[in-house]
Amino acid sequence: TPVPVGPPATGTPPVGTTLSAGAGCTLAYTLTASPLLSGADPLLAQQWHLRSTGQSGGTPGEDLRAIDAWASGQGAGVRVAVIDDAIEVVHPDLQPNLVDGASRSYRAGNPYPGWPVPCTADDDHGTAVAGLVLARDGNAAGGAGVAPRASLVAFDALASSLDVDVADALNRDADLNAIYQNSWGSPDNGALHPAEPVFEQAIDRGIDTGRAGRGSVFVFAGGNGGCYGLSGPTTCLVDDSNYDGYVNHRGVIAVCAVDDRGRRPGYGEPGANLTVCAPSSGSSSAVTTTALRGAYRSDFSGTSASTPMGSGVVALMLAANPNLSWRDVRWILAKTARRNDPTDPDWIAAPGLPAFNHKYGFGVVDAVAAVAAARNPGSVGAPAAGSSALVRCGPYGATPNAALPDRAGATATPVSSAIAVTGCGITRIEFVEIRLTAPHTYAGDLRVRLTSPTGTTSRLAEARACAGGCGSYANWRFGSMRHLDEPASGAWTLQLADDAPLDTGTFQSWSLVIHGR
């Protein structure tokens, strides 16, 4: 069912208008008509994520290769919709790229519904995010975004806390907005958080119908719950991106973070659903971007920072080739990613398959390689928009109804169930969905693994403690990018183990859906 659509955004108010997000807001902005200046950006040199020479104290070359990619274009003509708490669209580094009349405020009482400006000083997140995507270059102000000539559309859908508003923003002007940038997700507490049906409907609608059928590109944060404290600084509980129902969906590009040495920061969540990583805070430095009141900050961090960098690279790709489908985009990002932290033991690839790491997906985004492949998608085996239909096989199901033996001392006895995939014509997998029902008195005790016919394994869940309860594996959906390029046919095995004592459960049922060509 289509979600409700609110009133259209208004055009530009007269110069001199005082913009405010509504009654009780402490921030106000006077709309001016300042000329666009030209000149060097004074903060560009410290934006190590665009080009690292070691200026942050990190490793030279651990960056996006973004500035090198600008020789091929800077994202002009590509509209990026930033969905967040608020966006200071009058910021001198953002307003030059703002699409007139295309933004929308979902904040109740905003007298200017086309201007989703911040209400209070706490509404600073979206402004920092937008700057990392597309802050204007060469205007003698601040730094630059990854795609500094891309077009900005701003939606403050998080301000209302209504699911229907988020869903509306995800589909708004889907024929015009190419990328939907989302640096938000479920709480980082180790629990299972399903997405609302209206969200899933919006994503499905976007990839099916957005951009005249080529599909909207949805970029989401992989999450910051890799390590978080409950009872003190030494208490570390591990979340996983696959516990977040917003980012284990087949239509979402989930972006993780690396620090300025190319390594996983403590907050980074692993996940079989991750596609690529991008730079963020970690060992010695955070990220420089736009801030409220026309200012700048050098302390932005987390996957909130890495995700807009991924969106910026996608904007560079679509500027180079607007005909790319959403599937092309994800495929190219995966196949052109740069392998970071090369000595990490989780870099494993079956013969002929791309290397994958549950900490890093396929590696760090390489803007130069991604843009080059965007011009020639066949060079990396991308589906090529319109020439290769997406095939869906399944669901295939099994009902083992097997008791899960409780861990005894150091021993956990795994229980396995196999599904034979036959009659499926997919020879190159693009995404795998797994549904699991396993009633258990403490779901956080379960370790879950999926092994494909080629022998590669997706780590879907680990035993963990959860803040406030772990949720329930009741038809829970896992997503996996781990099996990219594999053939679908053969025996797939799901293995569960109760990895902690005292609680009991049952491996009741599971199913498998495979997407590819």
Side-chain angles (χ1 to χ4, degrees), residues 90-117:
V90 297
H91 193 289
D93 247 356
L94 299 179
Q95 190 170 0
N97 292 347
L98 184 66
V99 179
D100 184 35
S103 298
R104 163 92 162 94
S105 177
Y106 294 83
R107 189 183 297 274
N110 188 336
Y112 299 99
W115 296 80
V117 294

Side-chain angles (χ1 to χ4, degrees), residues 29-402:
Y29 302 88
T30 301
L31 194 60
T32 62
S34 301
L36 182 62
L37 303 178
S38 62
D41 300 311
L43 300 181
L44 183 63
Q46 72 184 53
Q47 290 185 295
W48 60 268
H49 60 281
L50 300 176
R51 176 188 284 160
S52 175
T53 59
Q55 69 269 48
S56 68
T59 304
E62 283 296 343
D63 55 41
L64 291 168
R65 314 282 198 267
I67 292 178
D68 294 333
W70 290 351
S72 300
Q74 296 177 289
V78 179
R79 287 174 45 149
V80 182
V82 176
I83 302 175
D84 218 291
D85 57 356
I87 299 91
E88 192 173 275
V89 292
V90 297
H91 193 289
D93 247 356
L94 299 179
Q95 190 170 0
N97 292 347
L98 184 66
V99 179
D100 184 35
S103 298
R104 163 92 162 94
S105 177
Y106 294 83
R107 189 183 297 274
N110 188 336
Y112 299 99
W115 296 80
V117 294
C119 177
T120 69
D122 292 334
D123 299 328
D124 61 346
H125 188 267
T127 300
V129 166
L132 288 174
V133 181
L134 46 63
R136 185 76 168 208
D137 71 310
N139 62 342
V146 174
R149 298 301 172 97
S151 299
L152 171 63
V153 177
F155 299 138
D156 63 0
L158 303 188
S160 73
S161 300
L162 295 176
D163 299 332
V164 69
D165 287 343
V166 170
D168 176 57
L170 289 167
N171 288 154
R172 182 169 284 272
D173 290 335
D175 278 347
L176 300 174
N177 298 329
I179 304 161
Y180 292 82
Q181 152 60 40
N182 302 272
S183 281
W184 52 271
S186 299
D188 297 315
N189 59 3
L192 302 170
H193 293 279
E196 300 80 12
V198 70
F199 168 86
E200 298 195 354
Q201 293 163 10
I203 298 295
D204 289 340
R205 187 181 303 113
I207 60 176
D208 288 343
T209 66
R211 290 195 306 131
R214 293 186 295 274
S216 304
V217 181
F218 296 104
V219 186
F220 272 77
N224 299 334
C227 182
Y228 56 94
L230 288 183
S231 60
T234 61
T235 301
C236 185
L237 304 177
V238 179
D239 205 339
D240 189 291
S241 187
N242 240 318
Y243 309 154
D244 182 344
Y246 295 112
V247 294
N248 60 15
H249 190 285
R250 69 184 179 96
V252 165
I253 295 172
V255 179
C256 46
V258 296
D259 64 17
D260 55 6
R261 297 176 298 170
R263 300 176 186 172
R264 182 178 72 93
Y267 56 79
E269 294 183 20
N273 60 317
L274 297 174
T275 300
V276 287
C277 285
S280 187
S281 60
S283 61
S284 57
S285 180
V287 174
T288 298
T289 183
T290 44
L292 298 186
R293 310 303 293 176
Y296 300 87
R297 56 188 294 185
S298 296
D299 61 350
F300 200 50
S301 63
T303 51
S304 284
S306 58
T307 303
M309 297 183 199
S311 292
V313 172
V314 174
L316 297 177
M317 294 165 60
L318 292 179
N321 184 354
N323 291 320
L324 295 176
S325 73
W326 71 273
R327 295 165 56 209
D328 296 327
V329 168
R330 184 167 65 185
W331 192 286
I332 290 170
L333 287 174
K335 298 300 283 288
T336 60
R338 173 177 56 82
R339 187 185 298 192
N340 58 298
D341 197 6
T343 62
D344 186 272
D346 194 38
W347 285 112
I348 301 172
L353 299 178
F356 184 88
N357 190 311
H358 287 83
K359 302 181 188 72
Y360 304 122
F362 293 95
V364 174
V365 177
D366 185 326
V368 171
V371 170
R375 289 196 168 88
N376 181 18
S379 66
V380 293
S387 65
S388 178
L390 181 66
V391 177
R392 179 182 186 270
C393 290
Y396 306 92
T399 309
N401 276 326

